[in-house]
Amino acid sequence: MPIPSALITLLVGMALVLAGLWVGYNVSMLPIDASSNAPVYDALFKVLFSIGTVLFLGIVGVLIFSLVRFRRRRGDSSDGAAIEGNLPLEIVWTAIPAVVVLFVGIYSYDIYERMGGMTPLNDHGAMHTAQPAGDHHHHGGTHGSKQAILASSSSAPAATADQEPGRVWAGIGTNTGEEQTLTVDVTAMQFAFIFHYPEGNIVSGELHIPADRPVSLNMEARDVIHAFWVPQFRLKQDVIPGQPTLLSFTATRPGTYPIVCAELCGPYHGGMRSSVVVHQPADFDAWLSKNTPPVPATVASSGSTPTA
Amino acid sequence: MTLASPSDFQAPQQSSPDQGGPRGLQPEGWLRYLSFSLDHKVIGLQYMVCGFLFYFLGGALAGVIRTELASPISDFVSRETYNEVLTLHGTVMIFLWIVPVVNGAFGNYLIPFYVGARDMAFPRLNAVAFWLIPPAGILLISSYFIKGGAAQSGWTAYPPLSLTTPSLGQVIWIISVLLLGGSSIFGGINFIATILKLRRPGLKMMQLPMYCWAMLGTSILVVLSTPVLAGTLILLSFDIIAHTGFFNPALGGNVVVYQHLFWFYSHPAVYIMVLPAFGLVSEIIPIHARKPLFGYTTMVYSIIAIVVLGLVVWAHHMFTSGTPPWMRLFFTIATSFIAVPTGIKFFNWLATLWQGKIALNSAMLFACAFIVNFVFGGITGVALAQVPFDIHVHDTYFVVGHFHYIVYGGTVFIIFSSVYHWYPKFTGRMLDEHLGRFHFLLTFIGFNLCFAPQHWLGLNGMPRRVAEYDPSFTTLNQVSSVGALLMAVSTLPFLFNVVVSAFRGEVAGDNPWKALTPEWLTSSPPPVENWIGEAPLVTHPYGYGAPADRLDLKMVTAEQIWNDPKP
Amino acid sequence: MTSLTSGTGDLAQISSDVDIAGQSDGHGEHGEHPDVRLFGLATFLVADGMTFAGFFAAYLTFRAVNPLPENSNYELELLLPSINTLLLVLSSFTFHRAGRGLLRGEGQACRSWLAITAALGLAFLAGQMVEYFHLPFGLTDNLFASTFYALTGFHGLHVTLGVICILIVWWQTRTAGRIKASTPFGLEAAELYWHFVDGIWLVLYGILYLL
Ligand code: HEA
Ligand code: HEA
Ligand code: CUA
Ligand SMILES: [Cu+2]
C-alpha cells in the first residue's frame, strides 16, 4: 500500500531527527569548557554531532533494511527490477545535502565570528596585525622599486629579526582591544614552552593567567613548528618559525589544564607539555607579585625542561 | 548470431596466432610475474601482489605503533624510532599500498577490458611504471638501516623539522617518493590515453562501466597534482643538500609555502585513493544486487564535481597555520561542498540495492561495510572542514580516526571486496565463502575497535604522532591496540584463503557471477589478448533485469548468462 | 553487426601506418590500436607544466610575502635574456618549418631547418651560461637567488633535453632513416615538446625578468 509507506517514511524521519538531537545534546564527548570560546565551540559541536548522527543512522538504517528485505532467497536466480534512475529522487538527494552543508557552513561562519575569527583586529588579512610601533615597510627605499615591492610584506625573516616583525594573527580568539589585556610572550622550542611576562619580567615554564580577563599571547618559535593547544580552551595555534603569531582568549574557569604541543617537532614532541593555571583574579595578582624577580630572570632559570 | 562454445575458452594461455615480436620472448607460467611483462593483466597482478607485500609491511609498522601506544610511556621503541616508524607507516600505506593497488592493480587489469582493448595504450610505459615501485619501496625501507635512520618528520615532511632531522634518511625518502610519484604519473597518462583513445569502435563514453570514469577522474588528478609534489620535494631536497633557503625560515624562507604546495598534491591524493574505490563498488554492487547501477549519469557528473572541487580545498589541512580568515572561509565552504557529489554516489548505491536481489557474500559484505565506514569518516570529514571545529581537533587522534575510517574502512575494505569479487577472474577458482565471512567479521570488529575510540581521544586532548601520552588515555588506547591486533589476525584467514584457493578452490567457470561487464565475457583467466575472437561490444554494462535483446553482447548472449545454472 | 567488422577494418588500416619497427610501444607488432603517442606526450606535458606551475606559484608567493635581506641586490640585466627569448621564439618557427619540410617530402630542407633549430637551442643554452657567470649572486645567497636558479635551471634542463631530441630526430631523418613523411611521430613529438619548452620560457621570462 503506497500511502502508509509515505507516512512511515515521515515517522521514521521524525524519529531519526529526535534520536539525533537527543544523542547530540546528551552524549558528552568533550572535556570541560574553560574559556569563553569553549561554550561557543560546544554549541557547534552539538549541532554537528546531531546532524551527523541523523545522517549516519539514516543511511545505515536504509542499508540494513535493504540487505534484510531485499536479500536473495534460496533458489531465486532472477534479477531485480530494471530501474536505471529517477530524476526527482536524484534532485532530492542532491538538494538535501546541499542545504545541510550550506546551513552548516553558515552556522560555523557565525560561530567563527563569535569566536573572534573575523574581528577587525585582522583587517588586512593575516599578514598585518597588532603591529607594535614602527613601520614595517622599513626595508624599502634604498634598493630601487623592485626591492620595495618585495619588502612590502610584513612577515619578517630572521635576517631582520632585530626589528620588530609584523605578527600573524591567529585568526581566532577574543578580541582583546581593551586596556586590561594581559600580554605574555611565548617562546616555543624543542621541547618546551617558555612564558615571559613583560609586566613584572617573570619567566616561567607554566602559564599562569587570571580568569575572566583577556590574555594575549605573543608567540614565537625558535627552531621548528610547534603548536600551542589547550583542549579545555578549544584553542590551537601553530607557532611557526619566522612568523610570529598572536593568539588571544579569555579563560573562564579556574583550574589547571594541560598545554599540549600538537605539531610534530622531533623525538620529544610527545613530552612537550606544560600546564596553564587559571587563577581567580586576586590569586593571580598575588602570584604575579610573588614571582616578580628582583633582578631580571634568564630563560635558563625557568623550571621547564623536557620530560625526558 | 553464433554463440561462443565453451571450447573457445579452453586454452587461456594459448597465444594468438599473430603473436610475435618481444612478447614472444616473454617467459611463460608464473615466471611472467617476475618479468618485464607487457601484458596488462600480468602487470595488474604484479601491482597487486607487490602492494599486498607492502601492506603487510605497513601493517607490521602499525603494529609497532599500536604496541608502543598500549602504554602511556615511551617503552617499546625509542622516540626516534617511533617517529621513523610512523613516517614509514604513512608513506608505505599511501604510496606503496593504496595508490598502487587501487589504481595500478585494478586499473591495469580492468580498464582494457572495459574499453574493449587488448592492452593499455602504452604497454612498455606501463611496465616501467610498475617496475619503478619495488626499487623505490626497497630504497625507502633500506633507509631505516643507514646511519641516522629513516625520515622522522611524518609523511608530510614539514620543514623546518625535515631540514633538521637526519638528512640522509630524509633525502632517501624524497627520492623514493619522487620515483613513486613518477610511476603514478606514467600510470595516469596511460589510463587517460587508454580510456579516451582506445575505446572499441562504437562504444560511447556514457556506456563505459563506472570504474572507467573513476579512473579517468583519478588520472586527471594524478596528472595535475603529482608534479607539484615532485617540484616541491625537489626544492626541499635543495634545502637539505645545497642549503638553499626555500623553506628554511633561518635563511629567509617560508614554511607555509611548503604546506600549500604539499597539500595541493596531498589533498587530491586522498581522492586518488578513494575515487577508484568508488568505481570498484559501482561495479560490485549491481552485480550482486542484480540491478542496474542507479543514476549512471549523475554518478558521472559527481565524479567530475569531486575532481574539480578536490583541486581547490587543500588549505583545510592548514587551518591553524596562520592562513588569513578569508582563505579559511573559502576552504571551509569548498570542502563542505564535496559532501554533495559524494553523497549523490552513496544515495545511488543505496538505491541500487533497493529492490534488488542481494547476495550477501564476502564481496558484498565488504562493500556494504565500506558504505557504513565511509559515511562515518565522511561526516567527521565535513566536521573537520569547519574552521572553528578543526582548530580544536587539528593534529589530534580525531584526525587519525577520520582518515583511517576513510582509507581503511573505505579503500582497504573495497580492496578486499574486489579481491573476493575478481579472484575467480584472476585465477579461474572461487575463494572460500566461509573463510571470507570470517575474515570480514574479524576485520570489521577489529577495525571499529581500533579507530572509533580515537575520535574521543582526539577530542579530549590526545595529539597525534606522540609516543607517550597522558595516562588518563590508557584504557582507550589499549582498546585501540587490541583492535589493531584483531585486524592483524584477520589477515590470516584471508591469506590462507587466497593461497589455498589458487590450487584447491572450487573451479569458477568463466562467469560465476553472471555479470555483464566485459571482463566476464571471456574465459577466466582470460587469454593473453583478452578475447580469442573479437572484443564484445557492451553498451549496457549494467543491464540486469533488462530484456535480453536490449543488451548488445557478442560471444555470450544474455540468455546464456541468465539461464546457465552454473557454468 | 556490420558496423563492428568495418570498425576493426579501419583499425587495421591505421595500425599499419603506425607500425614503425622497434619504435612503437610493443603493440605495433600486433597492429592493434591507433597511434596515441602524441596524445600521451601532450598529457605528459600537462603534468610537466604543473611542475613549473608549482615553481611559479612558489616564486610569486615568496616575492609577495618574504622580504629580502637588506644588502641583497638582484637587479637583473635584461639584454641577454631578451635576446635569448628571441632565439627561442625563433627556434619554434624554424622547427615548424622543419615539420613542413618533412610533410612535403623535402628531406634536405627539413634537416637544415632542424639543424638551425638545434643551433638556436644551443645558443640559448650558451646565453644562459653566460648569464649565470655574470650574475652577482650565487645559489644560496637569498631566496630570490635560489628560486631564480631553480626555475631557470629546471627550464635549462628541459632545453638541453629538447636539443638532444632534435639531434636524434635530425639523425633519424637522414635518407632512408626512421622518420619519413608517412611516420612523422618522432619529429612531431620533438616539435610539440619544443613548443612547450618555448611557451614555459615566455611565462618564466615574464614573471622572473619583467615583473
Ligand atoms: C581517501 C582518503 C580521504 C578522503 C576520501 C577524505 C575525505 C574528506 N576529508 Fe579527509 N583526510 C584524509 C583522507 C581522506 N579524507 C587524510 C589522510 C587526512 C590527514 C592527513 C594528515 O594530516 O596526515 C585527512 C584530513 C582531513 C582534514 C584536515 C584535518 C586536520 O588535519 O585538521 C579535513 C578538514 O577539512 C578533511 C576533510 C575531509 C572531507 C570533508 C572529506 C569529504 O570528501 C568526505 C565526503 C563524504 C561524506 C560527507 C559522506 C557521504 C555523504 C553523504 C552521505 C551525504 C550527506 C552528508 C552531509 C550533508 C554531511 N580531511
Ligand atoms: C593509507 C592507508 C593506511 C592504512 C591502511 C593504515 C592502517 C593502519 N594504521 Fe595508519 N596511518 C596512515 C595511513 C594508513 N594506516 C597515515 C597516512 C598515517 C599518518 C602518518 C603520519 O602521521 O605521518 C597513519 C598513522 C597511524 C597512526 C597514528 C600514529 C601517530 O600519529 O602517532 C596509528 C595509530 O594507531 C595508525 C594505526 C594503523 C593501524 C592499526 C592500521 C591497521 O589497519 C593495519 C592493519 C594491517 C595489518 C595489521 C597487517 C597485517 C599483517 C601482518 C601483521 C603481517 C606482519 C608481518 C610481519 C610481522 C613480517 N596509523
Ligand atoms: Cu613541539 Cu611538538
Ligand atoms: Cu584534505
Side-chain angles (χ1 to χ4, degrees):
Chain A
M1 281 184 294
I3 301 161
S5 91
L7 200 67
I8 289 171
T9 316
L10 192 71
L11 288 177
V12 169
M14 278 162 61
L16 256 180
V17 171
L18 287 178
L21 283 175
W22 187 87
V23 170
Y25 283 83
N26 287 285
V27 179
S28 160
M29 297 280 274
L30 288 161
I32 59 164
D33 51 337
S35 80
S36 60
N37 272 324
V40 186
Y41 182 93
D42 296 3
L44 172 69
F45 185 86
K46 288 192 170 93
V47 170
L48 291 176
F49 197 16
S50 302
I51 295 177
T53 311
V54 174
L55 285 170
F56 184 70
L57 289 183
I59 289 170
V60 173
V62 172
L63 178 70
I64 292 176
F65 177 82
S66 316
L67 292 185
V68 174
R69 173 74 180 69
F70 304 116
R71 69 185 183 281
R72 195 185 299 172
R73 320 276 154 154
R74 206 168 282 281
D76 181 357
S77 64
S78 64
D79 280 359
I83 309 166
E84 295 197 327
N86 182 329
L87 193 61
L89 260 181
E90 302 269 5
I91 292 174
V92 166
W93 63 50
T94 308
I96 292 180
V99 169
V100 172
V101 156
L102 206 62
F103 164 76
V104 169
I106 291 172
Y107 181 65
S108 69
Y109 169 83
D110 178 52
I111 294 281
Y112 190 43
E113 195 163 30
R114 274 152 67 192
M115 284 183 171
M118 307 302 290
T119 41
L121 190 73
N122 205 30
D123 267 336
H124 312 285
M127 293 307 175
H128 303 257
T129 47
Q131 175 88 354
D135 169 17
H136 58 257
H137 292 252
H138 48 267
H139 324 283
T142 52
H143 299 281
S145 56
K146 266 193 178 176
Q147 178 68 71
I149 296 168
L150 257 127
S152 72
S153 70
S154 58
S155 125
T160 55
D162 50 318
Q163 284 140 323
E164 178 58 55
R167 268 179 201 284
V168 173
W169 182 56
I172 193 145
T174 341
N175 186 2
T176 57
E178 298 121 273
E179 286 289 290
Q180 23 120 14
T181 303
L182 172 72
T183 303
V184 185
D185 298 329
V186 184
T187 308
M189 55 194 232
Q190 288 171 325
F191 296 94
F193 292 105
I194 310 285
F195 303 98
H196 172 245
Y197 292 73
E199 182 188 339
N201 200 14
I202 303 169
V203 174
S204 162
E206 267 185 351
L207 180 59
H208 288 259
I209 52 171
D212 300 321
R213 185 176 148 195
V215 177
S216 182
L217 301 182
N218 289 332
M219 305 202 288
E220 240 157 280
R222 191 91 41 96
D223 32 47
V224 299
I225 308 176
H226 304 271
F228 176 94
W229 180 34
V230 181
Q232 285 74 6
F233 293 175
R234 319 278 193 269
L235 276 183
K236 181 183 294 114
Q237 177 55 36
D238 286 5
V239 196
I240 297 176
Q243 184 179 293
T245 311
L246 183 85
L247 178 70
S248 47
F249 58 89
T250 308
T252 50
R253 198 188 289 267
T256 304
Y257 311 106
I259 295 174
V260 183
C261 174
E263 181 69 52
L264 179 62
C265 54
Y268 289 89
H269 162 58
M272 187 165 162
R273 310 171 120 257
S274 177
S275 340
V276 47
V277 183
V278 181
H279 297 278
Q280 297 289 4
D283 296 348
F284 177 72
D285 292 339
W287 178 86
L288 206 60
S289 51
K290 194 180 116 214
N291 283 277
T292 305
V295 288
T298 57
V299 170
S301 71
S302 83
S304 165
T305 39
T307 19
Chain B
M1 197 183 262
T2 46
L3 296 190
S5 75
S7 63
D8 284 356
F9 301 142
Q10 280 311 296
Q13 302 308 337
Q14 180 204 321
S15 41
S16 48
D18 62 331
Q19 175 144 18
R23 187 169 290 167
L25 300 172
Q26 300 278 313
E28 294 292 318
W30 66 272
L31 267 181
R32 278 178 302 158
Y33 295 99
L34 293 177
S35 75
F36 191 78
S37 173
L38 302 182
D39 182 342
H40 70 101
K41 298 181 290 300
V42 174
I43 295 178
L45 293 179
Q46 284 174 329
Y47 268 110
M48 181 97 70
V49 173
C50 176
F52 265 98
L53 291 178
F54 282 115
Y55 170 59
F56 297 139
L57 178 81
L61 293 167
V64 174
I65 295 180
R66 286 313 327 167
T67 312
E68 170 64 68
L69 294 180
S71 71
I73 51 167
S74 166
D75 47 7
F76 181 59
V77 290
S78 77
R79 295 172 172 85
E80 286 82 1
T81 310
Y82 182 84
N83 286 354
E84 287 170 358
V85 165
L86 84 88
T87 305
L88 287 183
H89 165 72
T91 314
V92 166
M93 285 298 199
I94 289 178
F95 293 106
L96 291 159
W97 156 240
I98 300 285
V99 174
V101 170
V102 88
N103 289 276
F106 291 104
N108 275 303
Y109 202 96
L110 297 175
I111 293 288
F113 282 109
Y114 285 172
V115 301
R118 305 220 177 257
D119 209 321
M120 298 285 288
F122 310 112
R124 203 156 282 160
L125 184 69
N126 207 12
V128 170
F130 168 73
W131 282 106
L132 281 173
I133 291 179
I138 291 167
L139 185 68
L140 182 67
I141 296 153
S142 68
S143 71
Y144 182 81
F145 302 100
I146 60 168
K147 192 170 147 285
Q152 299 181 14
S153 50
W155 84 282
T156 48
Y158 274 12
L161 184 63
S162 50
L163 306 177
T164 58
T165 42
S167 53
L168 194 52
Q170 193 67 50
V171 170
I172 291 183
W173 181 87
I174 291 175
I175 293 172
S176 50
V177 173
L178 285 177
L179 290 174
L180 295 168
S183 156
S184 179
I185 293 174
F186 292 155
I189 292 172
N190 223 333
F191 289 127
I192 293 180
T194 308
I195 296 168
L196 292 182
K197 294 289 178 185
L198 249 55
R199 278 191 325 284
R200 187 195 183 299
L203 187 61
K204 299 195 185 72
M205 283 303 279
M206 292 307 264
Q207 294 167 339
L208 288 174
M210 192 55 61
Y211 183 60
C212 290
W213 280 102
M215 281 307 294
L216 185 62
T218 309
S219 303
I220 290 173
L221 285 178
V222 166
V223 164
L224 291 181
S225 64
T226 318
V228 177
L229 177 74
T232 314
L233 292 184
I234 290 172
L235 294 185
L236 186 66
S237 66
F238 277 167
D239 276 4
I240 298 174
I241 300 167
H243 304 288
T244 52
F246 299 112
F247 308 127
N248 190 346
L251 299 176
N254 190 325
V255 300
V256 180
V257 171
Y258 174 88
Q259 299 182 5
H260 277 293
L261 291 172
F262 179 84
W263 290 114
F264 182 82
Y265 163 74
S266 292
H267 180 80
V270 310
Y271 297 104
I272 293 170
M273 293 189 267
V274 92
L275 273 180
F278 287 175
L280 294 170
V281 225
S282 304
E283 304 307 330
I284 294 167
I285 287 183
I287 290 174
H288 297 283
R290 310 301 311 165
K291 265 192 67 193
L293 182 66
F294 198 89
Y296 182 95
T297 320
T298 41
M299 291 288 249
V300 170
Y301 289 138
S302 62
I303 288 177
I304 297 171
I306 291 174
V307 168
V308 173
L309 282 173
L311 283 170
V312 294
V313 301
W314 73 88
H316 64 217
H317 296 273
M318 303 166 54
F319 284 154
T320 65
S321 302
T323 41
W326 64 263
M327 203 191 261
R328 301 178 187 200
L329 272 179
F330 170 78
F331 283 104
T332 286
I333 304 287
T335 308
S336 308
F337 265 95
I338 292 198
V340 178
T342 317
I344 292 175
K345 302 190 78 71
F346 280 82
F347 295 125
N348 277 313
W349 290 323
L350 289 179
T352 307
L353 291 170
W354 193 263
Q355 294 189 345
K357 298 278 168 82
I358 304 167
L360 204 55
N361 49 32
S362 310
M364 271 304 252
L365 280 170
F366 274 105
C368 294
F370 153 86
I371 295 184
V372 176
N373 300 335
F374 192 97
V375 167
F376 191 92
I379 287 171
T380 56
V382 172
L384 283 172
Q386 314 307 316
V387 188
F389 183 90
D390 184 65
I391 283 173
H392 174 50
V393 291
H394 170 67
D395 263 332
T396 68
Y397 263 82
F398 190 91
V399 176
V400 177
H402 156 70
F403 71 75
H404 282 93
Y405 258 82
I406 290 189
V407 286
Y408 197 97
T411 310
V412 178
F413 268 59
I414 282 307
I415 291 174
F416 284 132
S417 171
S418 306
V419 170
Y420 285 100
H421 181 76
W422 276 289
Y423 191 83
K425 184 50 45 186
F426 300 155
T427 63
R429 289 175 187 273
M430 304 294 285
L431 282 172
D432 184 80
E433 258 306 302
H434 297 286
L435 274 178
R437 288 174 197 203
F438 182 56
H439 170 217
F440 168 77
L441 208 66
L442 279 184
T443 311
F444 189 69
I445 296 172
F447 162 76
N448 281 293
L449 270 185
C450 183
F451 296 117
Q454 297 186 346
H455 295 92
W456 190 90
L457 287 171
L459 284 168
N460 283 274
M462 180 161 167
R464 59 192 279 208
R465 297 167 164 176
V466 294
E468 55 211 305
Y469 53 86
D470 189 314
S472 64
F473 299 138
T474 312
T475 318
L476 278 185
N477 268 297
Q478 283 167 348
V479 171
S480 178
S481 297
V482 169
L485 184 66
L486 257 184
M487 272 193 278
V489 172
S490 80
T491 39
L492 295 179
F494 173 75
L495 269 180
F496 179 81
N497 201 349
V498 166
V499 172
V500 171
S501 300
F503 305 101
R504 301 255 171 94
E506 186 192 336
V507 175
D510 291 336
N511 192 354
W513 312 124
K514 300 194 173 62
L516 291 175
T517 32
E519 82 276 25
W520 295 104
L521 308 183
T522 181
S523 63
S524 295
V528 170
E529 298 235 294
N530 296 352
W531 295 278
I532 298 292
E534 231 166 67
L537 174 67
V538 180
T539 51
H540 284 78
Y542 304 113
Y544 304 99
D549 55 348
R550 270 190 55 202
L551 304 172
D552 230 341
L553 299 171
K554 287 245 140 184
M555 300 195 0
V556 184
T557 61
E559 282 92 338
Q560 197 184 2
I561 289 167
W562 274 283
N563 299 336
D564 234 9
K566 179 90 193 168
Chain C
M1 262 197 176
T2 47
S3 67
L4 217 140
T5 20
S6 69
T8 357
D10 284 354
L11 267 186
Q13 199 63 42
I14 299 169
S15 56
S16 65
D17 281 355
V18 179
D19 204 350
I20 316 153
Q23 239 203 353
S24 68
D25 291 290
H27 249 284
E29 58 272 20
H30 300 284
E32 283 298 346
H33 63 68
D35 189 0
V36 296
R37 286 173 297 172
L38 220 47
F39 178 83
L41 177 66
T43 319
F44 174 77
L45 292 181
V46 171
D48 205 15
M50 285 306 290
T51 320
F52 278 105
F55 284 152
F56 291 154
Y59 169 72
L60 291 173
T61 325
F62 286 145
R63 232 185 110 107
V65 214
N66 288 69
L68 290 172
E70 293 282 341
N71 51 2
S72 55
N73 171 14
Y74 66 96
E75 242 3 289
L76 292 169
E77 285 295 337
L78 274 184
L79 182 63
L80 193 54
S82 304
I83 295 176
N84 255 351
T85 310
L86 281 178
L87 291 183
L88 217 49
V89 171
L90 199 63
S91 72
S92 258
F93 284 107
T94 55
F95 209 142
H96 187 69
R97 289 301 296 268
R100 230 167 51 187
L102 184 77
L103 287 184
R104 289 180 183 167
E106 299 160 2
Q108 208 41 56
C110 168
R111 302 195 76 215
S112 312
W113 283 117
L114 277 176
I116 295 174
T117 314
L120 287 170
L122 285 173
F124 173 89
L125 286 173
Q128 189 82 66
M129 280 334 249
V130 172
E131 192 194 6
Y132 276 10
F133 283 116
H134 286 84
L135 283 174
F137 47 78
L139 174 64
T140 56
D141 278 11
N142 58 48
L143 204 50
F144 173 80
S146 307
T147 331
F148 175 86
Y149 282 112
L151 270 171
T152 51
F154 193 58
H155 180 264
L157 275 182
H158 278 75
V159 177
T160 313
L161 190 67
V163 170
I164 294 174
C165 288
I166 295 173
L167 291 177
I168 292 176
V169 170
W170 180 78
W171 175 250
Q172 291 184 339
T173 45
R174 71 196 189 281
T175 0
R178 276 186 180 150
I179 298 180
K180 310 187 210 56
S182 57
T183 59
F185 168 72
L187 186 123
E188 283 177 344
E191 184 176 351
L192 184 62
Y193 177 78
W194 193 253
H195 292 325
F196 166 79
V197 172
D198 201 4
I200 293 286
W201 174 261
L202 290 181
V203 181
L204 199 154
Y205 177 72
I207 69 171
L208 213 53
Y209 291 93
L210 299 185
L211 203 70

